[in-house]
Every structure is written in C-alpha cells, then in structure tokens.
Amino acid sequence: MRIIIIGAGMTGLSAARILTQQGHDVIVLDKGRGVGGRMSTRTIEQAKADHGAQYFSVKSPEFKALIEELVSNNVAKEWQLAQRENIRYIGTKGMNSIPKKLAESLNVKLNEKVVTITGNTLKTESGNSYDFNNLIITIPIPQVIELLQNSNITPTENDQAVLNSIKYDPCIAVMAVLKQPTGFPSGGIILENQPVAWIADNFQKGITPFPTVTLHASADYSRNRLEDDLQVVSKEMLTSVNQYIPTDIILTSQVHRWRYSLARKRHESAFYQLENRLIFLAGDGFGIGNVEGAFLSGYEAATAIS
Ligand SMILES: Cc1cc2nc3c(=O)[nH]c(=O)nc-3n(C[C@H](O)[C@H](O)[C@H](O)COP(=O)(O)OP(=O)(O)OC[C@H]3O[C@@H](n4cnc5c(N)ncnc54)[C@H](O)[C@@H]3O)c2cc1C
C-alpha cells in the first residue's frame, strides 16, 4: 500500500517509522530544506541555537521506548531546569538531531511543497505528482485548511468543526551569539508577565561550541507584535532582558517569526480522518500537543491505517 505523509516533523516521522517497518511503501514529503519542522536548530556562523522546541517531556511508554533508544545512541539526553522538578529531554547536538536520526531510515523527499490534492494524487510546487492509497497530513491546521481550499475539497460540517477547533499560539524567537557564557544557574530561565517568557542557554545545553541564547516572546506579546518590523521587535526583546544578557556581550543576533508554535486548543483524539476520504489529519493539534503529543499522534494515526 502506498502511503504519503505530508510533513517531516515529529508527527510525520513517527507515523512513517511504523508504516515503513510494516512494509508499506511510504513517502514523506516536506517543503523544507531539512527535516524536523518545529524541532529546529539554527547555525549562526559556527554557533548553534535551538529556535523552535526547546526540550520535551517523556511520559508515555511508546515515546519512552524511542527516547531510551535515542539516549543509548547518544542522540538525546536528559536535561533539567532549575525552575522545574521533572526531568526533560533534549537532542545532544540540538533538537534537530532527533528528527535527523529518525529520518535516516525513511524515504523523505525535501523541497517538496504539496500544493493540491486531486482524488488520490498530490501535486507539489516543483511539478511532481504522487499517487497514494492513504494520505496523512501533519502540517499545522491553518495550512491544512489552505491546502484543502486550493484542492477544491469541501470539508463536511463535522470536518469543519474539528478544523475550526484547533488553535495555535505564535512565538517570536530571537537567537543571539554572545562574547562570553551567561552564567545562568541552569540551561534556561522562565520569566513571567514580561515580553520574553523564556531564555535558553544553548551553551549550557551542550549543543554549541560558542555561547548562544534563544529568547522566546510570550504568546500575548508575540500575537501583538507578529506583523511588526522584526528587527525592531528583536531589539526590544533583547533590551527587556538586559539584566540577564547585557547588550554589550551580544555579538550578533537573528530573529524568527513562528506563526504556529504550541497548539493552544487541540482536538481531543490523537488524529482525525476526514469524512468519506482516505485522508488522515495528525499533528500536535491532536491529543496532548507538544513534541511528545506529535509523536503519539503520528503513532496512533499509523496504527489506525496499518
Ligand atoms: C517556538 C516554539 C517553541 C516550542 N517549545 C516546545 C517545547 O519546549 N517543548 C515541546 O514539547 N514542544 C515545543 N514546541 C512545539 C513542538 O515543536 C511541536 O509541537 C512539534 O514539533 C510539532 O511537530 P509536527 O510534526 O506536528 O509539526 P511540524 O514540526 O510543524 O512539522 C510539519 C512539517 O510540515 C512541513 N510542511 C508544511 N506545509 C507543507 C506542505 N504544504 N507540503 C510539504 N510539507 C509541508 C513543514 O515544513 C514541517 O517540517 C515549540 C514550538 C515552537 C515553534
């Protein structure tokens, strides 16, 4: 059976692993230049910074089995924040090392943006066509809605209710390379009621040879400033954390606008099949959300198809 998966983030890779192991003909298509989606690590000159997901929880037995394997292969490691009791996990060379490892044994085609679905055929921006028996779409729901519209697929009333129920918070992220380490008490600081909600020290996380920090703006601040000049916003965010990162130790910085960061409102089930179609929707908008939820969503959707 030919199964196409749109999106090589944690959800798509999780689903692809299971279906590939079962002997299906699986192709994962991603519009990006690399895999991982929001589990993203950016290289700035010779320094590195996680700029999407920062760390993740491991609670379910299914995810635990995978992460234990990745820890024993030195791809993931335990991590603890001074402000949090529970152990979390990170990628040893950045969050992106995890999806990269998962993708090694899978048939992933990059730079393939899916633009339309007609019957059982997909078309990509590059002009390629792919036939499928089953389709799993793992991209953020607003992008699913756009894809369905461009494909002249009218969702049923029930489909529409599910699509409309899923909402994401935006996040403006700033990554800065520093002249010297921060001296933070642990690898990250959570702030409250401020423009910046989170500062990560990527050097302390052990993912970069040169000191870098990642700042995430709060959801409210990000929503209010999403369409503003990002250079101005970046400067404002860095100034607001001057007490933790003196401006004169910043060598260079970059800013990124995430329109969809965390899924604030999710559908209660781990995936959803569009009515009367062989199209499954999965992702962090389904189930528990976050990296672990994305893994479980992909896992459950794949299990339902196989
Ligand atoms: C700033 C930020 C901070 C976060 N912090 C945390 C955290 O600390 N802990 C945590 O657990 N989670 C965190 N998250 C959330 C976590 O990253 C996501 O829940 C998870 O990675 C979602 O995975 P996914 O596979 O469902 O989606 P994605 O990772 O978004 O993957 C979807 C993929 O689809 C591709 N795509 C989109 N449209 C198309 C198309 N038309 N054709 C082909 N490909 C397409 C994209 O390129 C992308 O690779 C954070 C996210 C962000 C952005």
Side-chain angles (χ1 to χ4, degrees):
M1 181 161 66
R2 158 69 71 82
I3 300 163
I4 302 271
I5 298 173
I6 309 179
M10 180 51 100
T11 307
L13 297 173
S14 159
R17 274 178 92 231
I18 294 175
L19 294 164
T20 303
Q21 279 161 11
Q22 287 171 348
H24 296 297
D25 170 16
V26 181
I27 302 176
V28 186
L29 302 174
D30 200 293
K31 69 178 179 182
R33 279 182 291 139
V35 299
R38 282 171 274 166
M39 291 180 79
S40 164
T41 306
R42 187 177 282 197
T43 302
I44 310 172
E45 290 160 18
Q46 287 159 301
K48 290 208 296 184
D50 283 330
H51 77 301
Q54 300 288 300
Y55 54 81
F56 54 90
S57 58
V58 179
K59 294 178 185 151
S60 61
E62 296 86 355
F63 196 41
K64 203 166 178 208
L66 170 69
I67 297 305
E68 278 174 0
E69 192 186 312
L70 294 176
V71 169
S72 66
N73 288 324
N74 201 28
V75 175
K77 66 179 181 185
E78 285 189 358
W79 193 65
Q80 188 161 17
L81 265 182
Q83 285 163 281
R84 291 270 190 266
E85 275 179 20
N86 297 339
I87 295 282
R88 305 294 213 282
Y89 288 81
I90 58 174
T92 44
K93 292 183 181 154
M95 290 294 271
N96 194 247
S97 48
I98 294 172
K100 270 189 180 160
K101 179 71 185 172
L102 297 182
E104 273 177 8
S105 53
L106 302 172
N107 184 6
V108 180
K109 295 190 187 298
L110 297 171
N111 300 307
E112 281 287 61
K113 180 176 181 178
V114 177
V115 287
T116 55
I117 308 164
T118 310
N120 281 21
T121 305
L122 296 179
K123 277 217 160 56
T124 63
E125 207 167 50
S126 61
N128 291 325
S129 295
Y130 297 88
D131 294 333
F132 63 85
N133 299 107
N134 278 294
L135 173 66
I136 308 181
I137 308 182
T138 72
I139 67 183
I141 294 302
Q143 296 174 345
V144 173
I145 294 171
E146 197 184 319
L147 178 59
L148 296 179
Q149 276 167 358
N150 293 342
S151 308
N152 293 320
I153 294 177
T154 310
T156 65
E157 239 175 74
N158 288 338
D159 294 343
Q160 197 64 60
V162 172
L163 293 169
N164 290 344
S165 69
I166 298 168
K167 306 281 177 214
Y168 301 78
D169 282 331
C171 179
I172 299 174
V174 173
M175 292 137 285
V177 183
L178 309 180
K179 283 184 199 160
Q180 63 197 58
T182 62
F184 288 0
S186 77
I189 299 179
I190 298 167
L191 303 172
E192 278 170 14
N193 305 319
Q194 296 184 40
V196 173
W198 163 255
I199 313 173
D201 181 333
N202 296 291
F203 191 59
Q204 281 201 41
K205 282 174 94 175
I207 69 162
T208 171
F210 299 101
T212 67
V213 285
T214 304
L215 275 55
H216 281 170
S218 70
D220 284 344
Y221 180 89
S222 298
R223 204 170 288 114
N224 290 336
R225 305 299 302 274
L226 201 61
E227 308 305 336
D228 290 357
D229 180 339
L230 283 188
Q231 296 311 321
V232 174
V233 176
S234 164
K235 206 168 165 200
E236 190 176 289
M237 284 171 62
L238 285 165
T239 307
S240 78
V241 296
N242 191 29
Q243 71 193 98
Y244 302 102
I245 306 157
T247 316
D248 60 0
I249 71 162
I250 299 171
L251 285 172
T252 181
S253 66
Q254 294 186 2
V255 59
H256 182 80
R257 177 194 286 120
W258 292 101
R259 287 194 184 278
Y260 312 109
S261 66
L262 293 161
R264 176 170 36 91
K265 288 192 183 168
R266 300 175 299 276
H267 183 59
E268 67 271 16
S269 307
F271 66 93
Y272 178 76
Q273 181 175 5
L274 290 181
E275 288 187 328
N276 316 318
R277 291 181 193 274
L278 294 170
I279 301 178
F280 294 77
L281 307 183
D284 64 339
F286 298 86
I288 64 170
N290 294 343
V291 168
E292 180 165 22
F295 168 85
L296 290 171
S297 176
Y299 179 94
E300 296 287 343
T303 308
I305 288 176
S306 54

